[in-house]
Amino acid sequence: KLPKLRELSLIDCSLSDHFILSLRPSKFNFSSSLSRLDLSWNSFTSSMILQWLSNVTSNLVELDLSGNRITGSLPDLSVFSSLKILVLDMNQLSGNIPEGIRLPIHLESLSIQSNTLEGGIPKSFGNACALRSLYMSGNNLNKELSVIIHQLSGCARFSLQELNLRGNQINGTLPDLSIFSALKRLDLSENQLNGKILDSTKLPPLLESLSITSNILEGGIPKSFGNACALRSLDMSNNSLSEEFPMIIHHLSGCARYSLEQLYLGMNQINGTLPDLSIFSSLRELYLYGNKLNGEIPKDIKFPPQLEELDLRSNSLKGVLTDYHFANMSKLYFLELSDNSLLALAFSPNWVPPFQLSHIGLRSCKLGPVFP
């Protein structure tokens, strides 16, 4: 008997199907006022709870059912005419998502993470014209990425801003993604993407973050990635990239050199020596550990001036790092140079480092007679 109730949170209250489904929807007096309902971490097992809730509330905007034990296939969700945010994480939804399933017409964010859904993504998801965020990490999706992208290429390609498909079994190589005109964040980590990324593969024009870590991608990074002018974070660690590092840097040296803040390429098979990296004027984190970088470090190269974290451990670099290399780095606080072939550090007697480190790794390096 709360006719003006707008938000109701019943988290971890041991609510069950029997208790809820035994109540007549007509007993509730807030059907038109309730806009936000959080029933996460209860003991619901039947997807019938969704149908029951649609009869109880007519203007629901946000619904959270995460951390329950709802089983079976994903039901039709279009019964929620006003719903904008739906969270179904950490349930036991399984099987293929039915092709005919419909989403609420105003839905902006759908999260179905950590379930056991299989197959691909139905075309109806791509026809959800208001959809801005789709999170489906931690499932068993196993279609080719190009098929999934095609299914999402309805009107959702104009609205989608965040797509998270991390931790599935999605295969194939990286297709052209430039049709997603609003996409800002894309996470394809921990899948089975393979082969070389084609030069014709373009990124969305507004993309800020791309993570493809822990796949089986080969070759190098296409020049189109360097022409992604909004790209701030690129994570391609733990793949099988084998191109020379100077070529990778050359391909990234388009307008992305002004925007990139994080570049993670650790645990690949990248070879070649270190080129000058100072053109990356915004780069704060550079991780190149566990590659095959080799050869002498040139005396005249410089690192990015904004660099805060640099990890070059477990390569085959040789030569000498001097105060010249670190002269323009006032923000560096994490430096890891361990386990290279024979990396020596030699500094001028009166040199004062412009940075203050919180971590330094120099295992197997050779320290010169003067060490600050």
Side-chain angles (χ1 to χ4, degrees), residues 6-67:
R6 288 184 298 175
E7 297 189 14
L8 177 59
S9 197
L10 294 167
I11 302 170
D12 196 10
C13 290
S14 302
L15 297 175
S16 65
D17 297 349
H18 175 73
F19 175 74
I20 288 291
L21 297 177
S22 65
L23 298 172
R24 295 196 310 276
S26 59
K27 296 189 74 169
F28 294 90
N29 206 19
F30 49 64
S31 64
S32 60
S33 62
L34 190 68
S35 63
R36 183 180 180 274
L37 179 60
D38 192 337
L39 295 173
S40 57
W41 300 103
N42 282 286
S43 301
F44 300 123
T45 61
S46 172
S47 59
M48 284 295 294
I49 186 68
L50 290 160
Q51 183 66 50
W52 184 88
L53 287 171
S54 70
N55 292 329
V56 169
T57 61
S58 57
N59 291 318
L60 201 60
V61 173
E62 183 175 345
L63 174 60
D64 191 339
L65 284 167
S66 57

Short mmCIF file of all heavy atoms in Angstrom, two decimals, residues 6-67:
data_model
loop_
_atom_site.label_atom_id
_atom_site.label_comp_id
_atom_site.label_asym_id
_atom_site.label_seq_id
_atom_site.Cartn_x
_atom_site.Cartn_y
_atom_site.Cartn_z
N ARG A 6 8.73 4.52 -5.78
CA ARG A 6 9.46 4.60 -7.06
C ARG A 6 10.61 3.60 -7.14
O ARG A 6 10.92 3.11 -8.21
CB ARG A 6 9.99 6.02 -7.27
CG ARG A 6 8.89 7.02 -7.58
CD ARG A 6 9.45 8.39 -7.88
NE ARG A 6 10.16 8.94 -6.72
CZ ARG A 6 10.83 10.08 -6.73
NH1 ARG A 6 10.93 10.78 -7.86
NH2 ARG A 6 11.44 10.53 -5.65
N GLU A 7 11.26 3.35 -6.00
CA GLU A 7 12.40 2.43 -6.00
C GLU A 7 12.23 1.40 -4.88
O GLU A 7 11.93 1.77 -3.75
CB GLU A 7 13.71 3.19 -5.80
CG GLU A 7 14.02 4.16 -6.92
CD GLU A 7 15.42 4.75 -6.81
OE1 GLU A 7 16.23 4.20 -6.03
OE2 GLU A 7 15.71 5.73 -7.50
N LEU A 8 12.45 0.13 -5.23
CA LEU A 8 12.35 -0.95 -4.25
C LEU A 8 13.55 -1.87 -4.39
O LEU A 8 13.82 -2.40 -5.47
CB LEU A 8 11.05 -1.74 -4.46
CG LEU A 8 10.83 -2.96 -3.55
CD1 LEU A 8 10.83 -2.57 -2.08
CD2 LEU A 8 9.53 -3.67 -3.92
N SER A 9 14.30 -2.03 -3.30
CA SER A 9 15.49 -2.86 -3.31
C SER A 9 15.33 -3.98 -2.29
O SER A 9 15.16 -3.72 -1.10
CB SER A 9 16.71 -1.99 -2.96
OG SER A 9 17.89 -2.63 -3.32
N LEU A 10 15.32 -5.22 -2.78
CA LEU A 10 15.19 -6.41 -1.92
C LEU A 10 16.34 -7.37 -2.22
O LEU A 10 16.15 -8.49 -2.65
CB LEU A 10 13.84 -7.09 -2.17
CG LEU A 10 12.59 -6.28 -1.75
CD1 LEU A 10 11.33 -6.91 -2.32
CD2 LEU A 10 12.49 -6.19 -0.24
N ILE A 11 17.56 -6.87 -1.99
CA ILE A 11 18.76 -7.64 -2.30
C ILE A 11 19.02 -8.68 -1.22
O ILE A 11 18.96 -8.36 -0.03
CB ILE A 11 19.97 -6.69 -2.43
CG1 ILE A 11 19.73 -5.63 -3.51
CG2 ILE A 11 21.24 -7.47 -2.74
CD1 ILE A 11 20.77 -4.52 -3.52
N ASP A 12 19.30 -9.92 -1.65
CA ASP A 12 19.70 -10.98 -0.72
C ASP A 12 18.68 -11.17 0.40
O ASP A 12 19.02 -11.14 1.59
CB ASP A 12 21.08 -10.66 -0.15
CG ASP A 12 21.74 -11.88 0.50
OD1 ASP A 12 21.20 -12.99 0.32
OD2 ASP A 12 22.75 -11.71 1.18
N CYS A 13 17.44 -11.34 0.02
CA CYS A 13 16.34 -11.49 1.00
C CYS A 13 15.75 -12.90 1.01
O CYS A 13 14.66 -13.11 1.56
CB CYS A 13 15.24 -10.48 0.70
SG CYS A 13 15.71 -8.78 1.05
N SER A 14 16.42 -13.85 0.38
CA SER A 14 15.95 -15.24 0.33
C SER A 14 14.58 -15.37 -0.30
O SER A 14 13.80 -16.26 0.05
CB SER A 14 15.93 -15.85 1.74
OG SER A 14 17.21 -15.81 2.33
N LEU A 15 14.26 -14.51 -1.23
CA LEU A 15 12.97 -14.60 -1.94
C LEU A 15 13.02 -15.75 -2.94
O LEU A 15 14.02 -15.96 -3.61
CB LEU A 15 12.66 -13.30 -2.66
CG LEU A 15 12.48 -12.06 -1.77
CD1 LEU A 15 12.29 -10.82 -2.64
CD2 LEU A 15 11.30 -12.25 -0.84
N SER A 16 11.92 -16.47 -3.06
CA SER A 16 11.87 -17.62 -3.97
C SER A 16 10.70 -17.49 -4.94
O SER A 16 9.83 -16.66 -4.76
CB SER A 16 11.71 -18.92 -3.15
OG SER A 16 10.45 -18.90 -2.49
N ASP A 17 10.69 -18.34 -5.94
CA ASP A 17 9.59 -18.38 -6.90
C ASP A 17 8.26 -18.58 -6.19
O ASP A 17 7.29 -17.88 -6.48
CB ASP A 17 9.78 -19.54 -7.89
CG ASP A 17 11.03 -19.38 -8.73
OD1 ASP A 17 11.61 -18.29 -8.70
OD2 ASP A 17 11.39 -20.35 -9.41
N HIS A 18 8.22 -19.52 -5.28
CA HIS A 18 6.96 -19.87 -4.62
C HIS A 18 6.38 -18.66 -3.91
O HIS A 18 5.17 -18.38 -4.00
CB HIS A 18 7.18 -21.02 -3.62
CG HIS A 18 5.96 -21.35 -2.82
ND1 HIS A 18 4.87 -22.01 -3.38
CD2 HIS A 18 5.63 -21.09 -1.53
CE1 HIS A 18 3.94 -22.14 -2.45
NE2 HIS A 18 4.38 -21.59 -1.32
N PHE A 19 7.23 -17.94 -3.20
CA PHE A 19 6.74 -16.79 -2.44
C PHE A 19 6.20 -15.71 -3.37
O PHE A 19 5.10 -15.20 -3.18
CB PHE A 19 7.87 -16.22 -1.57
CG PHE A 19 7.49 -14.96 -0.85
CD1 PHE A 19 6.64 -14.99 0.24
CD2 PHE A 19 7.96 -13.72 -1.28
CE1 PHE A 19 6.28 -13.83 0.90
CE2 PHE A 19 7.61 -12.57 -0.63
CZ PHE A 19 6.76 -12.61 0.46
N ILE A 20 6.96 -15.40 -4.38
CA ILE A 20 6.57 -14.29 -5.27
C ILE A 20 5.38 -14.68 -6.15
O ILE A 20 4.40 -13.94 -6.26
CB ILE A 20 7.77 -13.87 -6.15
CG1 ILE A 20 8.81 -13.14 -5.29
CG2 ILE A 20 7.35 -13.00 -7.31
CD1 ILE A 20 8.37 -11.79 -4.80
N LEU A 21 5.44 -15.85 -6.77
CA LEU A 21 4.40 -16.23 -7.72
C LEU A 21 3.07 -16.53 -7.04
O LEU A 21 2.02 -16.56 -7.70
CB LEU A 21 4.86 -17.44 -8.54
CG LEU A 21 6.10 -17.20 -9.43
CD1 LEU A 21 6.51 -18.47 -10.13
CD2 LEU A 21 5.83 -16.10 -10.45
N SER A 22 3.09 -16.74 -5.73
CA SER A 22 1.83 -16.99 -5.02
C SER A 22 1.07 -15.69 -4.72
O SER A 22 -0.09 -15.72 -4.33
CB SER A 22 2.12 -17.72 -3.70
OG SER A 22 2.88 -16.88 -2.83
N LEU A 23 1.74 -14.56 -4.91
CA LEU A 23 1.09 -13.27 -4.66
C LEU A 23 0.38 -12.79 -5.91
O LEU A 23 0.94 -12.83 -7.01
CB LEU A 23 2.14 -12.23 -4.23
CG LEU A 23 2.89 -12.54 -2.93
CD1 LEU A 23 4.01 -11.53 -2.73
CD2 LEU A 23 1.93 -12.48 -1.74
N ARG A 24 -0.84 -12.33 -5.76
CA ARG A 24 -1.60 -11.82 -6.91
C ARG A 24 -1.07 -10.42 -7.27
O ARG A 24 -0.94 -9.55 -6.39
CB ARG A 24 -3.09 -11.75 -6.61
CG ARG A 24 -3.73 -13.10 -6.38
CD ARG A 24 -5.26 -12.99 -6.46
NE ARG A 24 -5.78 -11.91 -5.63
CZ ARG A 24 -6.03 -12.02 -4.33
NH1 ARG A 24 -5.77 -13.17 -3.70
NH2 ARG A 24 -6.53 -10.99 -3.65
N PRO A 25 -0.79 -10.18 -8.55
CA PRO A 25 -0.32 -8.84 -8.96
C PRO A 25 -1.24 -7.72 -8.52
O PRO A 25 -0.79 -6.61 -8.25
CB PRO A 25 -0.27 -8.96 -10.48
CG PRO A 25 -0.05 -10.40 -10.75
CD PRO A 25 -0.80 -11.12 -9.67
N SER A 26 -2.54 -8.02 -8.40
CA SER A 26 -3.50 -6.97 -8.02
C SER A 26 -3.31 -6.49 -6.59
O SER A 26 -3.85 -5.45 -6.20
CB SER A 26 -4.93 -7.49 -8.21
OG SER A 26 -5.14 -8.65 -7.40
N LYS A 27 -2.54 -7.24 -5.78
CA LYS A 27 -2.32 -6.84 -4.40
C LYS A 27 -1.36 -5.66 -4.28
O LYS A 27 -1.24 -5.05 -3.23
CB LYS A 27 -1.77 -8.02 -3.59
CG LYS A 27 -2.73 -9.19 -3.46
CD LYS A 27 -2.24 -10.21 -2.48
CE LYS A 27 -2.42 -9.71 -1.05
NZ LYS A 27 -2.20 -10.77 -0.05
N PHE A 28 -0.65 -5.38 -5.37
CA PHE A 28 0.36 -4.33 -5.31
C PHE A 28 -0.22 -3.02 -5.82
O PHE A 28 -0.84 -2.98 -6.88
CB PHE A 28 1.60 -4.72 -6.14
CG PHE A 28 2.31 -5.89 -5.55
CD1 PHE A 28 1.98 -7.19 -5.91
CD2 PHE A 28 3.29 -5.71 -4.58
CE1 PHE A 28 2.61 -8.28 -5.34
CE2 PHE A 28 3.93 -6.80 -4.01
CZ PHE A 28 3.60 -8.08 -4.39
N ASN A 29 0.02 -1.96 -5.06
CA ASN A 29 -0.62 -0.68 -5.32
C ASN A 29 0.33 0.32 -5.99
O ASN A 29 0.03 1.49 -6.06
CB ASN A 29 -1.13 -0.10 -3.99
CG ASN A 29 -2.32 0.84 -4.21
OD1 ASN A 29 -2.95 0.78 -5.25
ND2 ASN A 29 -2.59 1.67 -3.23
N PHE A 30 1.51 -0.16 -6.42
CA PHE A 30 2.49 0.77 -6.98
C PHE A 30 2.76 0.49 -8.46
O PHE A 30 3.82 0.79 -8.98
CB PHE A 30 3.81 0.73 -6.21
CG PHE A 30 4.36 -0.67 -5.99
CD1 PHE A 30 4.76 -1.46 -7.05
CD2 PHE A 30 4.47 -1.18 -4.71
CE1 PHE A 30 5.26 -2.72 -6.85
CE2 PHE A 30 4.99 -2.46 -4.49
CZ PHE A 30 5.39 -3.23 -5.57
N SER A 31 1.79 -0.09 -9.14
CA SER A 31 2.03 -0.56 -10.50
C SER A 31 2.46 0.54 -11.46
O SER A 31 3.22 0.31 -12.39
CB SER A 31 0.78 -1.25 -11.04
OG SER A 31 -0.27 -0.32 -11.14
N SER A 32 2.00 1.75 -11.24
CA SER A 32 2.36 2.82 -12.18
C SER A 32 3.50 3.70 -11.68
O SER A 32 4.09 4.44 -12.46
CB SER A 32 1.13 3.71 -12.45
OG SER A 32 0.68 4.29 -11.25
N SER A 33 3.86 3.62 -10.40
CA SER A 33 4.90 4.51 -9.86
C SER A 33 6.28 3.86 -9.84
O SER A 33 7.29 4.54 -9.99
CB SER A 33 4.52 4.95 -8.45
OG SER A 33 4.44 3.83 -7.58
N LEU A 34 6.35 2.53 -9.65
CA LEU A 34 7.64 1.86 -9.48
C LEU A 34 8.46 1.93 -10.76
O LEU A 34 8.02 1.47 -11.81
CB LEU A 34 7.43 0.40 -9.07
CG LEU A 34 8.69 -0.33 -8.61
CD1 LEU A 34 9.19 0.22 -7.29
CD2 LEU A 34 8.41 -1.82 -8.48
N SER A 35 9.68 2.49 -10.65
CA SER A 35 10.53 2.60 -11.84
C SER A 35 11.83 1.79 -11.71
O SER A 35 12.41 1.40 -12.70
CB SER A 35 10.88 4.07 -12.12
OG SER A 35 11.62 4.61 -11.05
N ARG A 36 12.26 1.54 -10.47
CA ARG A 36 13.51 0.80 -10.28
C ARG A 36 13.29 -0.32 -9.28
O ARG A 36 12.84 -0.09 -8.16
CB ARG A 36 14.62 1.73 -9.77
CG ARG A 36 15.96 1.04 -9.62
CD ARG A 36 17.04 1.99 -9.11
NE ARG A 36 18.31 1.29 -8.99
CZ ARG A 36 18.68 0.59 -7.92
NH1 ARG A 36 17.86 0.51 -6.87
NH2 ARG A 36 19.84 -0.02 -7.88
N LEU A 37 13.64 -1.57 -9.68
CA LEU A 37 13.44 -2.74 -8.84
C LEU A 37 14.69 -3.60 -8.84
O LEU A 37 15.18 -4.00 -9.90
CB LEU A 37 12.24 -3.56 -9.36
CG LEU A 37 11.90 -4.84 -8.61
CD1 LEU A 37 11.56 -4.56 -7.15
CD2 LEU A 37 10.72 -5.55 -9.29
N ASP A 38 15.24 -3.83 -7.65
CA ASP A 38 16.45 -4.63 -7.51
C ASP A 38 16.13 -5.88 -6.69
O ASP A 38 15.90 -5.80 -5.49
CB ASP A 38 17.55 -3.81 -6.84
CG ASP A 38 18.92 -4.50 -6.92
OD1 ASP A 38 18.95 -5.74 -7.10
OD2 ASP A 38 19.94 -3.80 -6.81
N LEU A 39 16.12 -7.05 -7.37
CA LEU A 39 15.86 -8.33 -6.72
C LEU A 39 17.08 -9.25 -6.82
O LEU A 39 16.95 -10.48 -6.87
CB LEU A 39 14.65 -9.01 -7.37
CG LEU A 39 13.31 -8.29 -7.21
CD1 LEU A 39 12.23 -8.97 -8.04
CD2 LEU A 39 12.88 -8.25 -5.75
N SER A 40 18.27 -8.66 -6.88
CA SER A 40 19.49 -9.46 -7.04
C SER A 40 19.79 -10.29 -5.80
O SER A 40 19.39 -9.96 -4.69
CB SER A 40 20.67 -8.54 -7.36
OG SER A 40 20.85 -7.57 -6.37
N TRP A 41 20.51 -11.40 -6.04
CA TRP A 41 20.99 -12.30 -4.99
C TRP A 41 19.85 -12.86 -4.13
O TRP A 41 19.91 -12.86 -2.92
CB TRP A 41 22.05 -11.61 -4.13
CG TRP A 41 23.21 -11.19 -4.96
CD1 TRP A 41 23.49 -9.92 -5.39
CD2 TRP A 41 24.20 -12.04 -5.53
NE1 TRP A 41 24.61 -9.92 -6.19
CE2 TRP A 41 25.07 -11.22 -6.30
CE3 TRP A 41 24.45 -13.41 -5.48
CZ2 TRP A 41 26.16 -11.72 -7.00
CZ3 TRP A 41 25.54 -13.91 -6.19
CH2 TRP A 41 26.37 -13.08 -6.93
N ASN A 42 18.81 -13.32 -4.82
CA ASN A 42 17.75 -14.08 -4.18
C ASN A 42 17.79 -15.51 -4.70
O ASN A 42 18.84 -15.96 -5.17
CB ASN A 42 16.40 -13.40 -4.40
CG ASN A 42 16.21 -12.20 -3.48
OD1 ASN A 42 15.97 -12.35 -2.29
ND2 ASN A 42 16.33 -10.98 -4.04
N SER A 43 16.68 -16.21 -4.66
CA SER A 43 16.69 -17.64 -5.03
C SER A 43 15.67 -17.95 -6.13
O SER A 43 15.07 -19.02 -6.14
CB SER A 43 16.40 -18.51 -3.79
OG SER A 43 17.36 -18.28 -2.79
N PHE A 44 15.47 -17.01 -7.03
CA PHE A 44 14.55 -17.27 -8.14
C PHE A 44 15.17 -18.25 -9.12
O PHE A 44 16.35 -18.17 -9.44
CB PHE A 44 14.21 -15.96 -8.87
CG PHE A 44 13.56 -14.93 -7.99
CD1 PHE A 44 14.12 -13.67 -7.84
CD2 PHE A 44 12.40 -15.21 -7.30
CE1 PHE A 44 13.54 -12.72 -7.02
CE2 PHE A 44 11.80 -14.28 -6.48
CZ PHE A 44 12.38 -13.02 -6.34
N THR A 45 14.37 -19.18 -9.60
CA THR A 45 14.87 -20.17 -10.56
C THR A 45 14.11 -20.16 -11.87
O THR A 45 14.61 -20.63 -12.89
CB THR A 45 14.78 -21.60 -9.96
OG1 THR A 45 13.41 -21.90 -9.68
CG2 THR A 45 15.60 -21.70 -8.69
N SER A 46 12.89 -19.64 -11.86
CA SER A 46 12.05 -19.70 -13.06
C SER A 46 12.04 -18.35 -13.78
O SER A 46 11.95 -17.30 -13.15
CB SER A 46 10.62 -20.08 -12.69
OG SER A 46 9.76 -19.96 -13.81
N SER A 47 12.13 -18.41 -15.12
CA SER A 47 12.02 -17.18 -15.90
C SER A 47 10.60 -16.61 -15.85
O SER A 47 10.37 -15.49 -16.32
CB SER A 47 12.43 -17.45 -17.35
OG SER A 47 11.61 -18.45 -17.92
N MET A 48 9.67 -17.36 -15.26
CA MET A 48 8.30 -16.86 -15.09
C MET A 48 8.26 -15.60 -14.23
O MET A 48 7.30 -14.83 -14.29
CB MET A 48 7.42 -17.94 -14.43
CG MET A 48 7.00 -19.07 -15.37
SD MET A 48 5.92 -18.48 -16.68
CE MET A 48 4.47 -18.00 -15.71
N ILE A 49 9.31 -15.39 -13.44
CA ILE A 49 9.36 -14.20 -12.60
C ILE A 49 9.29 -12.93 -13.46
O ILE A 49 8.72 -11.91 -13.06
CB ILE A 49 10.64 -14.19 -11.73
CG1 ILE A 49 10.64 -13.02 -10.74
CG2 ILE A 49 11.90 -14.16 -12.55
CD1 ILE A 49 9.62 -13.11 -9.67
N LEU A 50 9.83 -13.01 -14.66
CA LEU A 50 9.80 -11.85 -15.56
C LEU A 50 8.37 -11.55 -16.01
O LEU A 50 7.95 -10.39 -16.04
CB LEU A 50 10.72 -12.10 -16.76
CG LEU A 50 12.22 -12.10 -16.44
CD1 LEU A 50 12.99 -12.81 -17.53
CD2 LEU A 50 12.72 -10.68 -16.28
N GLN A 51 7.63 -12.60 -16.37
CA GLN A 51 6.24 -12.41 -16.78
C GLN A 51 5.41 -11.87 -15.61
O GLN A 51 4.58 -10.97 -15.78
CB GLN A 51 5.67 -13.74 -17.27
CG GLN A 51 4.24 -13.67 -17.79
CD GLN A 51 4.12 -12.82 -19.05
OE1 GLN A 51 4.87 -13.01 -19.99
NE2 GLN A 51 3.18 -11.87 -19.06
N TRP A 52 5.65 -12.40 -14.41
CA TRP A 52 4.92 -11.95 -13.22
C TRP A 52 5.20 -10.47 -12.96
O TRP A 52 4.29 -9.69 -12.69
CB TRP A 52 5.35 -12.81 -12.03
CG TRP A 52 4.62 -12.50 -10.76
CD1 TRP A 52 3.44 -13.05 -10.33
CD2 TRP A 52 5.01 -11.57 -9.75
NE1 TRP A 52 3.08 -12.52 -9.12
CE2 TRP A 52 4.02 -11.61 -8.74
CE3 TRP A 52 6.10 -10.71 -9.60
CZ2 TRP A 52 4.09 -10.81 -7.59
CZ3 TRP A 52 6.16 -9.92 -8.47
CH2 TRP A 52 5.17 -9.97 -7.48
N LEU A 53 6.46 -10.07 -13.06
CA LEU A 53 6.82 -8.68 -12.80
C LEU A 53 6.20 -7.74 -13.83
O LEU A 53 5.83 -6.61 -13.50
CB LEU A 53 8.35 -8.52 -12.81
CG LEU A 53 9.09 -9.10 -11.61
CD1 LEU A 53 10.60 -9.09 -11.84
CD2 LEU A 53 8.75 -8.31 -10.35
N SER A 54 6.08 -8.20 -15.06
CA SER A 54 5.48 -7.35 -16.09
C SER A 54 4.00 -7.08 -15.80
O SER A 54 3.45 -6.06 -16.22
CB SER A 54 5.64 -7.99 -17.48
OG SER A 54 4.82 -9.15 -17.59
N ASN A 55 3.35 -8.00 -15.08
CA ASN A 55 1.95 -7.81 -14.69
C ASN A 55 1.80 -6.92 -13.47
O ASN A 55 0.73 -6.33 -13.24
CB ASN A 55 1.29 -9.16 -14.41
CG ASN A 55 1.14 -10.01 -15.66
OD1 ASN A 55 0.99 -9.47 -16.76
ND2 ASN A 55 1.20 -11.33 -15.50
N VAL A 56 2.88 -6.83 -12.67
CA VAL A 56 2.84 -6.04 -11.44
C VAL A 56 3.16 -4.57 -11.70
O VAL A 56 2.58 -3.67 -11.11
CB VAL A 56 3.83 -6.62 -10.40
CG1 VAL A 56 4.01 -5.67 -9.22
CG2 VAL A 56 3.33 -7.97 -9.91
N THR A 57 4.13 -4.32 -12.59
CA THR A 57 4.61 -2.96 -12.82
C THR A 57 4.47 -2.60 -14.28
O THR A 57 4.86 -3.35 -15.16
CB THR A 57 6.09 -2.85 -12.41
OG1 THR A 57 6.86 -3.73 -13.22
CG2 THR A 57 6.28 -3.22 -10.96
N SER A 58 3.95 -1.43 -14.53
CA SER A 58 3.74 -1.02 -15.92
C SER A 58 4.75 0.01 -16.41
O SER A 58 4.89 0.23 -17.61
CB SER A 58 2.33 -0.43 -16.08
OG SER A 58 2.14 0.66 -15.19
N ASN A 59 5.48 0.66 -15.48
CA ASN A 59 6.42 1.71 -15.87
C ASN A 59 7.84 1.44 -15.39
O ASN A 59 8.59 2.37 -15.12
CB ASN A 59 5.95 3.07 -15.32
CG ASN A 59 4.68 3.55 -16.01
OD1 ASN A 59 4.53 3.42 -17.22
ND2 ASN A 59 3.74 4.08 -15.23
N LEU A 60 8.20 0.17 -15.29
CA LEU A 60 9.52 -0.19 -14.79
C LEU A 60 10.61 0.25 -15.79
O LEU A 60 10.55 -0.07 -16.98
CB LEU A 60 9.60 -1.71 -14.58
CG LEU A 60 10.67 -2.22 -13.62
CD1 LEU A 60 10.48 -1.64 -12.23
CD2 LEU A 60 10.63 -3.74 -13.57
N VAL A 61 11.62 0.97 -15.27
CA VAL A 61 12.72 1.47 -16.10
C VAL A 61 13.99 0.65 -15.90
O VAL A 61 14.75 0.43 -16.82
CB VAL A 61 12.98 2.97 -15.79
CG1 VAL A 61 14.23 3.47 -16.50
CG2 VAL A 61 11.78 3.81 -16.17
N GLU A 62 14.21 0.18 -14.66
CA GLU A 62 15.43 -0.56 -14.35
C GLU A 62 15.10 -1.79 -13.52
O GLU A 62 14.40 -1.71 -12.52
CB GLU A 62 16.41 0.34 -13.58
CG GLU A 62 17.73 -0.32 -13.28
CD GLU A 62 18.73 0.63 -12.63
OE1 GLU A 62 18.50 1.86 -12.66
OE2 GLU A 62 19.73 0.15 -12.06
N LEU A 63 15.62 -2.96 -13.95
CA LEU A 63 15.37 -4.22 -13.27
C LEU A 63 16.67 -5.00 -13.14
O LEU A 63 17.37 -5.24 -14.13
CB LEU A 63 14.34 -5.06 -14.04
CG LEU A 63 14.07 -6.48 -13.53
CD1 LEU A 63 13.54 -6.46 -12.10
CD2 LEU A 63 13.09 -7.21 -14.46
N ASP A 64 16.99 -5.39 -11.91
CA ASP A 64 18.21 -6.16 -11.64
C ASP A 64 17.83 -7.50 -11.01
O ASP A 64 17.29 -7.56 -9.91
CB ASP A 64 19.13 -5.38 -10.71
CG ASP A 64 20.52 -6.00 -10.60
OD1 ASP A 64 20.67 -7.20 -10.90
OD2 ASP A 64 21.45 -5.28 -10.21
N LEU A 65 18.11 -8.60 -11.74
CA LEU A 65 17.87 -9.96 -11.25
C LEU A 65 19.17 -10.76 -11.20
O LEU A 65 19.15 -11.99 -11.25
CB LEU A 65 16.86 -10.66 -12.16
CG LEU A 65 15.39 -10.24 -11.99
CD1 LEU A 65 14.55 -10.76 -13.15
CD2 LEU A 65 14.82 -10.73 -10.67
N SER A 66 20.29 -10.07 -11.10
CA SER A 66 21.58 -10.77 -11.10
C SER A 66 21.75 -11.61 -9.83
O SER A 66 21.15 -11.33 -8.79
CB SER A 66 22.72 -9.76 -11.20
OG SER A 66 22.67 -8.81 -10.16
N GLY A 67 22.58 -12.65 -9.95
CA GLY A 67 22.90 -13.47 -8.79
C GLY A 67 21.78 -14.35 -8.30
O GLY A 67 21.76 -14.74 -7.12
#
